[in-house]
Amino acid sequence: MKPYIVTIARQYGSGGKTVGKLLAEKLGIPCYNREIITMASEDSGVNAVLFSDERLKSDLTERLRRHYRGNALDKLYDDDTLFEYQAKVIRKLADDGPCVLIGRCADFVLRERTDVVRIFVHADHDFCMEQARKVNSLPDEELEKKLARVDESRARFYRHHTGCDWYDARNYDLSLNSGVLGFDGVLEEILQYLQVRSQFSVEQ
């Protein structure tokens, strides 16, 4: 099988992060998620608290103000500057070799490369709620709001930095429903796609 860099965008609760880790283990390649923030912080010297987890800085203003006073934050680190630090790390990781990259518009950052496979993992509301309950102790009413809030933030983050709709299937090679396929089924679909694409690339 030809080595690929796999990017995974995912709805909250769909298990995209879990699938990414399973895929990386299966292929014997590294998987990067929040590690990208750590690397961007170390590379830039910017405190990791300033890097959003796929949220625009405007969504984090109050939290950030607890750590930074005045307007220095706005002057020095806007959304685009912080994103470019992360994009730099994503490009370096891709240059280093096959890996799985979770979120952070990696599909767009690496859009010029021919060795990238772009995945979107989604699921129905009930499945996402079921998975979210496993890692959250919030009442269902609050959990409902969190699901909506996280996906809305990710969609805004994606549109701001790419100009595209996060939910648009045309951004991805595969859009897979984990609520129907289960995590193992999504993993198998990705592996089959990688195999077919490898064969097609050889033929071309």
Side-chain angles (χ1 to χ4, degrees):
M1 183 186 297
K2 180 180 175 180
Y4 286 102
I5 295 137
V6 180
T7 68
I8 297 182
R10 72 279 180 238
Q11 282 187 292
Y12 185 72
S14 69
K17 181 173 67 176
T18 299
V19 169
K21 291 180 178 179
L22 291 173
L23 179 64
E25 291 174 5
K26 185 74 174 180
L27 297 176
I29 60 177
C31 178
Y32 301 102
N33 182 20
R34 290 191 59 82
E35 294 86 354
I36 295 171
I37 288 179
T38 301
M39 293 176 189
S41 174
E42 293 173 350
D43 182 63
S44 65
V46 178
N47 193 308
V49 73
L50 290 176
F51 289 95
S52 67
D53 189 7
E54 296 176 271
R55 286 174 291 177
L56 296 177
K57 195 181 70 182
S58 56
D59 296 332
L60 300 170
T61 299
E62 291 306 317
R63 181 180 130 194
L64 295 175
R65 292 301 180 198
R66 297 172 195 156
H67 298 271
Y68 297 89
R69 297 178 181 275
N71 297 319
L73 178 66
D74 297 320
K75 294 177 180 177
L76 294 177
Y77 304 118
D78 59 23
D79 283 311
D80 295 333
T81 300
L82 293 171
F83 177 73
E84 188 51 42
Y85 285 134
Q86 295 180 77
K88 179 182 176 183
V89 169
I90 288 169
R91 294 187 191 102
K92 182 182 183 304
L93 292 173
D95 286 341
D96 288 343
C99 59
V100 176
L101 299 165
I102 308 292
R104 293 167 185 83
C105 308
D107 56 292
F108 180 82
V109 172
L110 303 176
R111 62 193 180 282
E112 303 299 331
R113 298 183 65 117
T114 60
D115 59 346
V116 177
V117 172
R118 300 163 178 84
I119 310 294
F120 185 77
V121 181
H122 60 98
D124 59 86
H125 175 267
D126 289 346
F127 182 86
C128 290
M129 282 289 290
E130 179 184 349
Q131 296 304 311
R133 288 189 192 101
K134 295 178 180 179
V135 294
N136 290 275
S137 58
L138 296 172
D140 275 4
E141 182 178 348
E142 292 302 313
L143 198 54
E144 294 252 12
K145 293 178 182 178
K146 181 171 184 175
L147 257 68
R149 184 173 64 250
V150 172
D151 283 347
E152 182 181 353
S153 293
R154 288 176 178 174
R156 284 204 306 269
F157 183 85
Y158 192 87
R159 180 171 290 282
H160 177 86
H161 293 298
T162 73
C164 300
D165 182 354
W166 185 58
Y167 290 103
D168 191 338
R170 292 172 295 183
N171 299 325
Y172 312 102
D173 299 297
L174 288 177
S175 181
L176 299 168
N177 189 335
S178 57
V180 173
L181 298 172
F183 298 158
D184 290 339
V186 170
L187 175 62
E188 185 58 32
E189 288 293 328
I190 296 172
L191 291 171
Q192 288 186 19
Y193 176 82
L194 292 175
Q195 187 65 46
V196 171
R197 180 156 159 178
S198 294
Q199 294 171 356
F200 179 79
S201 297
V202 170
E203 291 173 0
Q204 293 297 308

